[in-house]
Amino acid sequence: MSAETVARTSRDRSWWGWGWADAQPDDAECVALGALVPGTLARPLPLPEVADLHIGRPAAEAPRSLGHLVTYDPEERASHAMGKAYRDVARALRGRPGRIPDLVARPARDQDVADLLEWAGERRVAVVPYGGGSSVVGGVEYRGDAHRAVLSLDLTAMDRVLEIDDDSRAARIQAGVLGPALEDRLRPHGLTLRHFPQSFEFSTLGGWLATRAGGHYATGRTHIDDFTQSLHVVTPAGTSTSWRLPASGAGPSPDRLFLGSEGTLGVITEAWMRVQERPRHKASASVSFTDFQAALLAVRALARSDLAPANCRLLDAGEAALSGASRDGHAVLVLGFESSTGPVADRLSQALELARAHGGRADADGQDRGGPADGAVGAWRSAFLRMPYLRDGLARMGAVTETFETATTWDRLPALIDAVRTEVGAAAHKATGHPAIVNCRLTHVYPDGAAPYFTVISGGRPGDEVAVWDDLKAVAGEVLHRHRATVTHHHAVGRDHRPHYDLQRPEPFARALRAVKRTLDPGGILNPGVLLDG
């Protein structure tokens, strides 16, 4: 184990908020954040304590044969009760986290998973698969009372790289490995999965697979699907293992059945993943635009070129100011290129020339320095990693903050962005009586469309923050549906996006999915309420 990994594991995760407990904003920083948003509290809400939740006795206990796998510790149960959405943080701060799991299990092998599922099925215990717990869509909590007890199935003890195939450049990896540990295990071989979602530090391979997570690449291989060679899945009806193949036309893909299934069809325990050599050449730059519409055209041209930037993120003026990438009211395009085989400076130069042709001004670059450029690029990266912690600080000040992402085609994109800014902003103002900040950035771009990511910040309604958030989520979902934009591009469906996911999917597919659920999970114990009714 590397020194870096030891340092990480010696720190405590926050049970109620994002990331490391010692990285949360202190009271003074919370007050400073609150001063930026009209209508916040005079002082921050106190940090919540597990003892204040008065967690009761578990409604079910595992048999002695499984006792070595489970814990009933109140803090463990509280930390597995929900994910890390604003809704979750606000509930924890108010002492209302929802249904607390009765027990937490950490299986070490496939047979442990199968045995736990068998026991849960016999006792009608709901099983919620759990990786890093970073879900922002209600994907790792139980809602309702149809099951006598709830088991949180934590996969993080299954965290090894089991095998590496150098000939095929692939690795067989257990699903519970967290992002940093996975990279630590691949690094001695000169390899990387090169999948870096914002939650990278606190999410697992299994979580990425189960939610079809989007990662580092802004073009090309944007989703975990693109790196998946085969899956091994334990279900109540048996184990499914797909063949390792570079490609196949043999009917519907069995892997596609479980990618994005969010733990409701089976438990992904390992996967063969396509890995690659670590990049040695990097170049990055920022480009500013006075006209956001012109910037959209520049990004579309880049997506349709063969330049394939690894990073191609467009920040509107508000998002650029929030991240410190720009203070002059300009939109900022953050560009990055990387390669394991040769210099990328020429591709960056071509991209900058294309951006200039659409009215952009190149501000800085770090051609082949092996890392991101200073200035706007560095500021954006720092803000990107720090933003979830700042959201928690704003939550302690009673502010309502929401982020949601989508994807749509280029012809619908401008109208969608305008509608979200106008309608969600108006809904926040109506709900709270305070003006709202509504920012937009593009996180992933394709030849036929893009994935905009929205940030909404407003003063709240003290004690009623979750209701305000629910209202904003409903308005946002309606806007996305009306513009035929997906309810999620990479955050998954969970429970929070269910109403609009149900409207988006074709009904024949919904019937087929229900039939698959009945076949693979006849007792209905796996993550009830995700994708399908419990």
Side-chain angles (χ1 to χ4, degrees), residues 226-237:
D226 304 314
F227 300 98
T228 304
Q229 193 178 62
S230 73
L231 294 180
H232 183 78
V233 187
V234 178
T235 81

Side-chain angles (χ1 to χ4, degrees), residues 207-468:
W208 302 340
L209 295 165
T211 61
R212 296 182 66 193
H216 168 78
Y217 289 105
T219 64
R221 293 171 291 184
T222 61
H223 278 72
I224 196 67
D225 314 32
D226 304 314
F227 300 98
T228 304
Q229 193 178 62
S230 73
L231 294 180
H232 183 78
V233 187
V234 178
T235 81
T239 299
S240 171
T241 305
S242 60
W243 285 15
R244 291 181 59 208
L245 296 167
S248 174
S253 166
D255 293 335
R256 287 284 175 181
L257 179 64
F258 295 107
L259 286 166
S261 62
E262 302 188 34
T264 196
L265 300 180
V267 181
I268 300 170
T269 59
E270 66 180 63
W272 274 97
M273 303 300 297
R274 299 179 178 99
V275 293
Q276 55 193 294
E277 293 182 18
R278 303 187 72 82
R280 295 182 291 114
H281 303 272
K282 297 181 181 181
S284 55
S286 63
V287 184
S288 62
F289 291 84
T290 57
D291 185 341
F292 186 71
Q293 298 304 316
L296 289 176
L297 294 176
V299 171
R300 186 180 69 178
L302 282 165
R304 291 178 175 176
S305 73
D306 60 359
L307 296 173
N311 196 1
C312 186
R313 297 178 189 262
L314 176 62
L315 321 177
D316 71 5
E319 190 74 6
L322 188 66
S323 66
S326 173
R327 300 294 187 189
D328 56 9
H330 292 175
V332 173
L333 172 61
V334 178
L335 284 171
F337 291 84
E338 60 186 44
S339 171
S340 62
T341 57
V344 293
D346 184 58
R347 280 196 283 155
L348 176 61
S349 296
Q350 292 180 62
L352 293 176
E353 184 177 345
L354 191 154
R356 291 188 191 101
H358 288 81
R361 186 187 76 237
D363 295 324
D365 69 78
Q367 298 193 17
D368 284 319
R369 295 178 186 170
D374 295 331
V377 178
W380 169 80
R381 177 174 172 77
S382 297
F384 179 74
L385 297 174
R386 184 63 178 157
M387 194 59 67
Y389 292 103
L390 301 183
R391 178 209 63 180
D392 290 359
L394 284 168
R396 289 187 62 200
M397 296 303 297
V400 175
T401 67
E402 164 63 344
T403 59
F404 61 95
E405 37 68 57
T406 183
T408 193
T409 50
W410 286 112
D411 60 315
R412 295 189 177 104
L413 185 64
L416 170 67
I417 293 173
D418 287 345
V420 169
R421 286 172 173 160
T422 301
E423 297 182 43
V424 177
H429 195 181
K430 180 180 179 181
T432 67
H434 306 292
I437 298 168
V438 184
N439 295 334
C440 175
R441 68 179 185 265
L442 301 189
T443 60
H444 301 76
V445 294
Y446 307 92
D448 54 346
Y453 191 113
F454 298 95
T455 300
V456 184
I457 304 174
S458 175
R461 237 168 34 215
D464 213 15
E465 295 89 354
V466 172
V468 173

Side-chain angles (χ1 to χ4, degrees), residues 64-76:
R64 182 175 300 177
S65 61
L66 300 176
H68 62 292
L69 301 175
V70 305
T71 179
Y72 307 95
D73 178 74
E75 188 157 342
E76 288 275 10

